[in-house]
Amino acid sequence: MDIDRAMSNPASVFATPEALSESSELTAEQKRAILMQWKDQLQQLQAADDEGMRRNEAAAGSTDDLLGRVTSVLSQIDADSKRASNSG
């Protein structure tokens, strides 16, 4: 896996945030960093949607859905990390 490519364009490496979450090739910290990048990119797309720069409402809806999924997976990784550090 190309970690640099995953960091710059997560969607080009992972079909879904869930696929990223299930990857055994990445540490929790790497997953978190990539998800944060993905979240940032989606928020930028949302801002463009809000400013009327994109015309496709279906694309805007899928951006919102994907952002929700990225945020959910990120929260799960954070919770797992916190549990791991508290149990050790």
Side-chain angles (χ1 to χ4, degrees), residues 2 11 15 18 33 35 37 47 53-55 60 62 68 70 73 75 79-80 84:
D2 184 344
E18 295 79 11
L35 285 164
Q37 177 65 22
M53 296 172 79
R54 289 203 348 213
R55 297 172 303 238
S62 65
V70 166
V73 171
S75 296
D80 290 348

Side-chain angles (χ1 to χ4, degrees), residues 9-23:
N9 187 358
S12 73
V13 177
F14 299 100
T16 66
E18 295 79 11
L20 186 159
S21 161
E22 294 166 7
S23 172

Side-chain angles (χ1 to χ4, degrees), residues 2-87:
D2 184 344
I3 188 79
D4 292 332
R5 186 168 150 226
M7 279 299 296
S8 65
N9 187 358
S12 73
V13 177
F14 299 100
T16 66
E18 295 79 11
L20 186 159
S21 161
E22 294 166 7
S23 172
S24 59
E25 296 180 56
L26 298 170
T27 66
E29 293 80 19
Q30 289 171 321
K31 290 177 185 180
R32 187 175 195 294
I34 293 168
L35 285 164
M36 291 298 292
Q37 177 65 22
W38 206 341
K39 182 177 175 182
D40 184 54
Q41 290 174 0
L42 290 167
Q43 287 172 331
Q44 289 175 18
L45 279 175
Q46 257 186 339
D49 290 342
D50 292 345
E51 293 169 10
M53 296 172 79
R54 289 203 348 213
R55 297 172 303 238
N56 187 340
E57 286 191 28
S62 65
T63 299
D64 292 344
D65 174 61
L66 187 55
L67 180 57
R69 290 166 55 204
V70 166
T71 302
S72 175
V73 171
L74 190 54
S75 296
Q76 184 62 49
I77 286 173
D78 285 345
D80 290 348
S81 244
K82 195 170 190 177
R83 265 196 302 275
S85 68
N86 286 342
S87 67

